[in-house]
Amino acid sequence: IVFSTMLVVLVFLPLFALGGIEGRLFVPLGVAYIVSIIASLVVSLTVTPVLAYWLLPRATFMDHDREGLLLRVLKALAGWAIRLSLRFPVPILAVVAVTVAFSVSAVLQLGRDFLPPFDEGTVQVNVLLPPGTSLDASNRIAAMVDEQIAQCLRDHRQL
């Protein structure tokens, strides 16, 4: 339980290196998940053994000495895998090394951005006028701003 919790926490650590929008989105979620999984670890190491000590001595299913079918099959598969890995350690380690090298090269090829940059092609222009400006004056100023923007776009396209 401790090692699996450490593994999950290690998997979430790169999340804290994210910047920009994705960092603001996912870092709080990562913190919440890591805190909850560490709290679960604390409960599994403290509360669960105490409850098992109190509640399981009177449980009737603890009297059976026979293992279930699933556990026997899993033990047989694990024994086969261990014997195979002890018989052929070099090829298995070579496959693991190649897989790790491939994974590292794949990670190095990935982009640094979690989310693509947002380029929506729109611009918002705000014009601040003094309070009490008439509607006609506001419309004239808005038309002048539109014309200036259109002129800039025309000049830019000619380049």
Side-chain angles (χ1 to χ4, degrees):
I1 293 172
V2 173
F3 287 123
S4 63
T5 301
M6 287 174 28
L7 179 67
V8 170
V9 169
L10 285 175
V11 166
F12 273 84
L13 285 182
L15 189 69
F16 298 114
L18 293 175
I21 294 173
E22 54 269 6
R24 287 190 213 122
L25 285 173
F26 294 116
V27 167
L29 294 174
V31 169
Y33 189 75
I34 288 174
V35 166
S36 66
I37 208 159
I38 290 174
S40 172
L41 173 69
V42 170
V43 167
S44 70
L45 294 177
T46 57
V47 176
T48 303
V50 171
L51 290 176
Y53 176 75
W54 285 345
L55 300 175
L56 290 181
R58 293 181 284 282
T60 57
F61 65 86
M62 297 295 287
D63 295 336
H64 301 294
D65 290 336
R66 199 178 85 124
E67 295 175 343
L69 176 64
L70 177 63
L71 185 58
R72 287 188 304 228
V73 169
L74 290 176
K75 280 186 175 182
L77 287 173
W80 174 80
I82 290 170
R83 284 190 299 278
L84 179 71
S85 64
L86 289 175
R87 193 174 302 137
F88 304 106
V90 174
I92 290 176
L93 288 176
V95 168
V96 169
V98 168
T99 305
V100 167
F102 176 73
S103 300
V104 167
S105 69
V107 166
L108 292 176
Q109 298 296 323
L110 292 175
R112 296 282 180 219
D113 293 332
F114 188 74
L115 294 174
F118 295 109
D119 183 15
E120 299 172 354
T122 59
V123 176
Q124 178 179 345
V125 177
N126 294 324
V127 178
L128 298 176
L129 300 174
T133 304
S134 69
L135 182 58
D136 290 334
S138 297
N139 287 338
R140 264 194 328 273
I141 293 171
M144 287 177 12
V145 169
D146 285 342
E147 181 57 37
Q148 289 290 324
I149 291 174
Q151 182 63 39
C152 288
L153 288 176
R154 283 191 297 270
D155 292 344
H156 181 67
R157 286 189 190 138
Q158 290 174 357
L159 296 176

